[in-house]
Amino acid sequence: FRIRNFSYAQPIKDPIRYFTPKSIYDLDKLPKNYEDFVNKLGSNYPGYNDPAYMSWLYKVRNAPSKIGEVNKVEYNDDHILTWSTVYSKLRHLHDDLACDKYKENFRELEELGILSEREIPNFATLNKYLTHKSGFQLVNVGGMIKPRFFLYGLAFKVFFTTQYIRHKSVPFYASEPDIIHEILGHVPMLADRKFAELFQEIGEKSLGAPDHVIDVLGRAYFFIIEFGILSDKVLGAGILSSSKEIEIISSGKAKIEDWSLQKIINSDLILSDYQPQYIDVVKIENLKEIFAEVYNYLKI
Ligand code: TIH
Ligand code: FE2
């Protein structure tokens, strides 16, 4: 008989942690809990004292979709007013500041009647557009999920997305993703075929990866895809969806840093406040090389 070497064996505390999806439908087996929201709940949570909003919020957050299904969320006049207020303000700011790819697809989405100030688009319509353009689809979850599982989705061109909208008292900045962030931040970029390929590649690199790899991939995603800039234009979805954050950048007071892998590895991840710094990747064509550097460093 053979003596097996157990030195690589990991104690399986949480079996799901080691589950790697093999097909898109395996994504339904991943946990979709959103611990961050629960941690944040307190009397300073926007909308905390608005019981109608809070009960709606719980309902929407607790109805994650399965692959291939979409929820039809009922938005009331308050929600639509928040959408319209942010939409018109951002649209104006984006004219000068959003990167070209974003603007090009945004214009197309408006021309097709998919995006407008008047209504919050439904996922069925968005997904029809996205799958046609780049193969991506939105699948709704209740809030920020574990980075590992978010990245796993990308491998199968699934973009896990929130569907609730921020409270009307805080239209111009949200400390966590909501539908304004997803649609006015991410969707126009997700429609770009090259960008979508990059997303899928990041996801593929994450499948079954050890924690330190997930950590670095998550950081690259965060500092570039969410909060990156392209010299005098904005790329990051976290900036594009927040007029407050755009204003900070255009005021010239923001700290802009050149890309450096060591910098993103050593910087704190600030999730619920304005960013203390933004990474400038100069032009979108640099992303391939930048991510190649990340993969090379991680030996993946
Ligand atoms: N700050 C973004 C907004 O106001 O739309 C939301 C977030 C994106 C990523 C982290 S928080
Ligand atoms: Fe995001």
Side-chain angles (χ1 to χ4, degrees):
F1 90 114
R2 265 174 54 213
I3 299 173
R4 287 164 64 199
N5 179 353
F6 283 106
S7 61
Y8 293 111
Q10 301 262 2
I12 298 187
K13 285 178 241 114
D14 173 7
I16 200 82
R17 155 72 180 72
Y18 296 96
F19 169 76
T20 304
K22 302 262 182 312
S23 83
I24 190 170
Y25 294 103
D26 278 348
L27 294 174
D28 285 337
K29 298 178 193 155
L30 300 174
K32 310 275 171 52
N33 38 331
Y34 48 91
E35 293 128 41
D36 213 51
F37 167 67
V38 179
N39 293 338
K40 276 184 193 156
L41 259 194
S43 54
N44 59 352
Y45 185 84
Y48 191 80
N49 295 317
D50 179 346
Y53 174 77
M54 288 311 277
S55 69
W56 176 84
L57 182 66
Y58 273 100
K59 214 173 84 194
V60 177
R61 279 186 182 257
N62 288 310
S65 285
K66 285 191 156 41
I67 301 298
E69 292 174 6
V70 288
N71 276 353
K72 214 176 166 323
V73 172
E74 301 287 339
Y75 297 102
N76 69 23
D77 290 348
D78 271 358
H79 306 144
I80 296 167
L81 185 61
T82 304
W83 170 267
S84 309
T85 308
V86 182
Y87 192 102
S88 57
K89 180 145 191 181
L90 285 178
R91 199 179 184 289
H92 187 69
L93 292 168
H94 287 174
D95 270 348
D96 280 341
L97 285 157
C99 64
D100 292 343
K101 278 266 173 284
Y102 178 96
K103 284 199 287 194
E104 194 184 303
N105 288 335
F106 188 89
R107 225 173 286 132
E108 183 176 62
L109 282 153
E110 282 196 333
E111 277 161 20
L112 291 167
I114 298 169
L115 285 190
S116 87
E117 192 180 314
R118 293 181 308 279
E119 59 176 352
I120 304 173
N122 67 62
F123 279 26
T125 315
L126 287 168
N127 280 347
K128 214 160 127 190
Y129 171 79
L130 281 176
T131 47
H132 168 73
K133 292 281 286 186
S134 68
F136 255 87
Q137 62 180 301
L138 310 177
V139 174
N140 70 286
V141 290
M144 199 111 72
I145 60 171
K146 282 207 182 337
R148 172 180 294 277
F149 302 132
F150 176 78
L151 294 171
Y152 282 6
L154 298 183
F156 302 95
K157 292 195 172 180
V158 165
F159 196 76
F160 287 121
T161 309
T162 56
Q163 219 173 2
Y164 61 89
I165 193 161
R166 61 194 66 176
H167 190 253
K168 61 184 173 187
S169 58
V170 290
F172 302 122
Y173 176 81
S175 65
E176 55 182 342
D178 71 335
I179 192 158
I180 292 181
H181 169 69
E182 317 287 12
I183 297 183
L184 302 181
H186 287 292
V187 163
M189 295 309 292
L190 274 174
D192 180 69
R193 200 177 40 80
K194 283 233 179 75
F195 211 70
E197 275 169 17
L198 178 79
F199 270 39
Q200 185 177 24
E201 185 182 56
I202 300 169
E204 281 168 351
K205 300 285 187 187
S206 79
L207 288 175
D211 288 345
H212 76 276
V213 169
I214 299 293
D215 176 66
V216 176
L217 291 175
R219 283 165 176 280
Y221 180 89
F222 181 84
F223 285 107
I224 298 173
I225 309 297
E226 293 289 356
F227 293 104
I229 61 170
L230 304 167
S231 6
D232 55 349
K233 298 282 186 258
V234 176
L235 167 71
I239 308 170
L240 288 166
S241 61
S242 163
S243 60
K244 272 272 177 234
E245 204 123 10
I246 293 180
E247 280 161 5
I248 292 173
I249 290 181
S250 51
S251 74
K253 289 194 203 112
K255 194 167 145 212
I256 311 283
E257 301 263 2
D258 292 338
W259 158 257
S260 139
L261 181 53
Q262 285 311 315
K263 204 173 295 152
I264 67 144
I265 290 172
N266 297 318
S267 296
D268 289 337
L269 292 174
I270 313 283
L271 284 165
S272 32
D273 207 343
Y274 305 133
Q275 296 301 308
Q277 61 175 15
Y278 302 90
I279 306 286
D280 183 3
V281 297
V282 186
K283 52 183 187 175
I284 207 152
E285 292 75 20
N286 288 342
L287 289 184
K288 241 193 136 40
E289 214 173 292
I290 284 174
F291 276 92
E293 184 189 343
V294 173
Y295 305 149
N296 193 33
Y297 166 81
L298 293 170
K299 301 190 170 49
I300 52 176

